[in-house]
């Protein structure tokens, strides 16, 4: 491959350029929620790391739901911790996300 540069050649300006730039950061445009946006996605935060941490750091209950973290017979072998949510209609669990949260 040969690349020739002509730094002294001058060209007429192209005028106004219009366009759209879209950058897919962290797979955010793939049609779903990218897991790296979720703080404590494995429910393994502990006070050993920071005194204010607990297994539900980054999560909150909605609509009076009862939320707890269990260990042991987890649905996924590589993640032994999981959330158990007991809720009536309108209740659930919310991930706050990092920083400003998930929009």
């Amino acid at each position: 491959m040969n690349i020739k540069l002509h730094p002294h050649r001058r060209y007429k300006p192209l005028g106004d350029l219009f366009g759209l730039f879209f950058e897919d950061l962290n797979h955010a445009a793939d049609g779903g929620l990218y897991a790296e946006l979720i703080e404590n996605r494995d429910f393994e935060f502990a006070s050993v790391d920071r005194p204010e941490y607990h297994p539900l750091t980054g999560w909150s209950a909605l609509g009076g739901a009862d939320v707890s973290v269990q260990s042991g017979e987890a649905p996924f072998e590589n993640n032994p911790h999981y959330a158990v949510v007991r809720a009536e209609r309108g209740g659930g669990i919310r991930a706050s996300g990092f920083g400003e949260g998930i929009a």
Side-chain angles (χ1 to χ4, degrees):
M1 176 191 301
N2 291 324
I3 298 175
K4 293 182 180 182
L5 301 177
H6 304 282
H8 300 295
R9 282 192 186 169
R10 300 286 179 217
Y11 295 94
K12 190 169 66 169
L14 295 174
D16 292 332
L17 295 176
F18 296 92
L20 177 68
F21 175 75
F22 180 78
E23 185 174 359
D24 181 11
L25 297 173
N26 293 330
H27 306 286
D30 289 344
L33 180 62
Y34 190 55
E36 300 304 331
L37 297 174
I38 300 175
E39 182 179 17
N40 191 20
R41 66 182 180 172
D42 53 9
F43 303 105
E44 293 182 348
F45 277 23
S47 59
V48 171
D49 301 314
R50 290 179 71 167
E52 67 272 16
Y53 279 178
H54 53 82
L56 284 170
T57 296
W59 296 89
S60 58
L62 298 174
D66 177 38
V67 180
S68 64
V69 173
Q70 303 294 318
S71 299
E73 294 293 320
F76 303 105
E77 181 179 321
N78 293 332
N79 186 358
H81 303 93
Y82 58 97
V84 174
V85 181
R86 290 179 179 85
E88 300 292 327
R89 176 172 269 193
I93 187 171
R94 176 184 182 273
S96 60
F98 285 99
E100 298 294 317
I102 300 171

